[in-house]
Amino acid sequence: MREPFEQAVQRHGSTVLKVCRAVLGPGPDADDAWQETFLAALREWPDLDPLMPLEPWLVRVAGRKAIDVVRVRNRQALPVGELPERLNGAGPAAVEGAGHGVEVWAAVAALPERQRLAVAYHYLGGLPHADTAAVIGGSAESVRRASSDGIRALRRLWTDERTGAG
């Protein structure tokens, strides 16, 4: 028998939020994707197989909900008074004074899409490379490479920030 829904939210909520933030960055869009994930889970709850591992399923749903937000963002034009500066390498200095951990999400969000998704699903969501490949497309090897490249880019960014290199 499956645990009560409220316990599942408490147990897996932080992992789902990590995935949403990794794809969308910190802020209301990630929070909305988190809520949409658990609304979808609540709708499916009575029909879920009690033997199915819940966390990987929630991570997949969260990833899909986050990608839906990205797709909506890309379809909508945003009027602005003046064009913002483009961040080529959002590191810890890119989001000053915004709070603990925000720099990490900004750096992950600045990765190319495939690397960002691979890092989010594999490292933050805990999915194996094969499962991540099933979600974002491609082979397990290509996802392994994308996640490795993403982590390498994050390490290089952090090293450059700390040493003042650039």
Side-chain angles (χ1 to χ4, degrees):
M1 180 166 199
R2 181 141 329 264
E3 66 186 321
F5 182 75
E6 294 80 14
Q7 288 179 1
V9 173
Q10 289 176 350
R11 181 182 315 236
H12 304 293
S14 63
T15 300
V16 169
L17 187 58
K18 286 177 188 177
V19 170
C20 294
R21 284 182 175 168
V23 175
L24 299 168
D29 285 343
D31 296 340
D32 290 346
W34 183 91
Q35 290 177 351
E36 288 294 325
T37 299
F38 284 106
L39 283 173
L42 182 60
R43 284 191 285 275
E44 295 295 322
W45 199 254
D47 300 325
L48 286 177
D49 178 1
L51 300 177
M52 178 184 70
L54 187 58
E55 189 170 64
W57 181 77
L58 286 169
V59 165
R60 285 187 190 107
V61 172
R64 289 180 180 138
K65 294 297 180 184
I67 289 172
D68 288 346
V69 171
V70 170
R71 287 180 180 146
V72 168
R73 273 187 196 164
N74 291 338
R75 284 188 223 132
Q76 296 176 344
L78 297 175
V80 294
E82 62 182 65
L83 293 176
E85 273 189 47
R86 183 178 181 99
L87 296 175
N88 291 328
V95 185
E96 293 180 21
H100 179 70
V102 174
E103 304 87 14
V104 173
W105 301 122
V108 172
L111 291 172
E113 182 178 12
R114 186 154 182 85
Q115 290 178 13
R116 182 178 68 246
L117 295 175
V119 167
Y121 288 135
H122 180 69
Y123 290 102
L124 302 174
L127 290 181
H129 291 298
D131 290 351
T132 301
V135 173
I136 68 173
S139 66
E141 291 78 21
S142 69
V143 169
R144 181 177 288 114
R145 178 59 189 249
S147 64
S148 174
D149 289 347
I151 293 296
R152 185 178 315 112
L154 292 172
R155 284 184 181 142
R156 185 173 47 247
L157 179 66
W158 248 243
T159 302
D160 289 351
E161 285 291 328
R162 290 175 189 242
T163 63

